[in-house]
């Protein structure tokens, strides 16, 4: 499992009631599927284990950066929570942008760059206290995804390939640095993973169990190394342990 940070709370400590923070997962189908026994489920379990944050999934299958830019303000407004509660946001988008020019989901890399920057600016303006992690899209197995799409009547995969994806990955990393966000380079790590096509992807595009585990480990390592104040076990418990309730009286 991903690395767990040492818990800060100890039995018998004086306790101040805390507002329970929120971790927001924002992106496309790779985020939407993160709660299907995936990296989002594992992250939610890590925070639930320490009873100190809620993980919300706002992944939208099929979305590209153009669509996500249009809806990000609405997504934040509809959270139903004080936005001050949002302590951490993950952003993962680009797999659908990097399709063949002329396909329905394609977004040119220049516009993609502007869209990601606009999304990060909205997050910075609306969530000034939140950390942001930009995740690069995983590598794609073009032949496997094309075969999957043809078999299931979904066309030919719209030309997804690592060659076409590479400039989008570079753009996401560059914009993240420019906007003061942190980067989790899933793309580079997946390409360096032995037999990544078989071990990390379920259909050539989306993450398998192994791919979800890898992303969870990369996330928890990034959080525990660089965003320690929002790491599982470092945030204060929302409510004390059962044998510490006396300190609330």
């Amino acid at each position: 499992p991903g690395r767990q940070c040492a818990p800060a709370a100890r039995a018998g400590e004086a306790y101040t009631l805390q507002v329970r923070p929120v971790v927001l997962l924002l992106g496309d189908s790779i985020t939407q599927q993160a709660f299907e026994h995936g990296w989002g489920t594992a992250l939610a379990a890590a925070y639930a284990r320490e009873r100190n944050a809620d993980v919300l999934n706002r992944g939208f299958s099929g979305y590209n950066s153009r669509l996500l830019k249009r809806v990000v303000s609405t997504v934040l407004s509809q959270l139903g929570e004080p936005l001050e509660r949002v302590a951490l946001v993950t952003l993962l988008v680009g797999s659908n942008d990097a399709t063949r020019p002329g396909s329905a989901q394609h977004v040119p890399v220049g516009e993609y760059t502007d869209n990601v920057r606009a999304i990060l600016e909205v997050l910075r303006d609306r969530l000034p206290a939140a950390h942001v992690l930009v995740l690069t899209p995983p590598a794609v197995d073009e032949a496997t995804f094309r075969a999957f799409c043809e078999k299931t009547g979904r066309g030919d995969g719209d030309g997804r390939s690592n060659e076409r994806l590479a400039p989008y990955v570079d753009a996401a990393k560059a914009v993240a640095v420019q906007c003061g966000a942190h980067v989790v380079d899933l793309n580079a790590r997946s390409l360096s993973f032995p037999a990544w096509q078989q071990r990390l992807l379920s259909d050539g595009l989306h993450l398998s169990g192994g791919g979800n585990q890898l992303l969870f480990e990369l996330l928890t390592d990034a959080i525990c190394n660089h965003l320690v104040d929002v790491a599982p076990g470092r945030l204060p418990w929302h409510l004390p342990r059962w044998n510490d309730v006396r300190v609330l009286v």
Side-chain angles (χ1 to χ4, degrees):
R3 189 157 61 88
Q4 300 298 310
C5 299
R10 292 185 297 273
E13 287 184 337
Y15 218 91
T16 301
L17 290 180
Q18 304 291 329
V19 174
R20 192 176 179 105
V22 166
V23 177
L24 176 64
L25 314 182
L26 186 64
D28 53 27
S29 57
I30 296 174
T31 297
Q32 180 174 310
Q33 294 179 11
F35 271 22
E36 297 176 12
H37 306 288
W39 61 273
T41 305
L43 192 64
Y47 280 104
R49 190 174 300 117
E50 297 297 336
R51 280 206 327 242
N52 53 21
D54 294 324
V55 178
L56 302 183
N57 189 322
R58 295 297 182 271
F60 305 98
S61 179
Y63 270 45
N64 54 26
S65 64
R66 183 184 296 156
L67 292 174
L68 200 59
K69 184 186 77 169
R70 291 177 185 172
V71 304
V72 62
S73 291
T74 300
V75 168
L76 296 179
S77 296
Q78 292 182 344
L79 285 180
E81 306 287 352
L83 292 183
E84 293 80 5
R85 285 187 60 198
V86 181
L88 175 64
V89 183
T90 66
L91 174 64
L92 173 52
V93 66
S95 295
N96 296 319
D97 300 71
T99 47
R100 181 189 307 114
S103 64
Q105 294 169 301
H106 174 73
V107 173
V109 68
E111 182 189 345
Y112 170 80
T113 302
D114 293 340
N115 291 341
V116 173
R117 179 178 292 108
I119 293 168
L120 292 175
E121 288 174 350
V122 170
L123 295 175
R124 182 184 60 198
D125 292 344
R126 299 284 300 276
L127 309 172
H131 296 289
V132 179
L133 281 169
V134 174
L135 320 180
T136 61
V140 57
D141 180 355
E142 179 179 1
T144 297
F145 188 63
R146 182 175 62 249
F148 171 79
C149 289
E150 291 172 348
K151 181 178 180 180
T152 56
R154 304 179 187 183
D156 65 356
D158 290 329
R160 288 174 169 84
S161 69
N162 288 314
E163 180 180 5
R164 187 163 277 137
L165 181 61
Y168 294 82
V169 171
D170 291 340
K173 292 189 290 187
V175 173
V177 171
Q178 292 165 12
C179 293
H182 298 268
V183 175
V184 173
D185 197 352
L186 174 61
N187 185 271
R189 183 66 185 91
S190 58
L191 283 170
S192 69
F193 201 91
W196 60 268
Q197 297 94 331
Q198 294 77 35
R199 297 176 64 187
L200 300 182
L201 302 174
S202 63
D203 56 8
L205 179 67
H206 299 95
L207 298 178
S208 64
N212 277 287
Q213 180 64 29
L214 175 64
L215 179 49
F216 171 62
E217 292 174 359
L218 292 174
L219 271 176
T220 53
D221 283 347
I223 294 168
C224 288
N225 284 322
H226 304 294
L227 309 176
V228 178
D229 59 314
V230 295
R234 295 295 183 180
L235 288 167
W237 278 39
H238 177 214
L239 291 171
R241 292 172 172 83
W242 66 272
N243 58 349
D244 283 348
V245 172
R246 56 184 171 79
V247 304
L248 301 178
V249 179

